Amino acid sequence: MKKLVLSLLSLFAIFTISTVVMAYVGYFIGSIVSVLANVVLGIDAKLIAIIFAWLFVLMTVFIY
């Protein structure tokens, strides 16, 4: 029972850490895209970065 609890806690920790890391990676990529395509897309630069961050979070959730 102890191993099961430790395994579940470690999986939860890995899931949480990877979700946060992927959110930062998505925000960074979104920032790069917004700098390069802000004029073409005509959307606020922060909005593009936030959309990319949420897309990466959703991608992480679907992977798990």
Side-chain angles (χ1 to χ4, degrees):
M1 185 67 175
K2 184 179 178 181
K3 287 184 180 182
L4 177 66
V5 171
L6 288 176
S7 297
L8 288 174
L9 285 175
S10 65
L11 283 174
F12 181 71
I14 290 171
F15 174 73
T16 304
I17 291 168
S18 63
T19 303
V20 170
V21 167
M22 287 299 282
Y24 279 112
V25 168
Y27 192 83
F28 179 71
I29 292 173
S31 297
I32 293 171
V33 169
S34 67
V35 166
L36 296 175
N38 190 21
V39 176
V40 175
L41 296 176
I43 303 174
D44 185 29
K46 290 181 183 178
L47 182 63
I48 295 172
I50 291 171
I51 290 171
F52 268 84
W54 278 109
L55 286 174
F56 273 65
V57 167
L58 287 174
M59 200 168 50
T60 306
V61 170
F62 286 137
I63 287 172
Y64 282 103

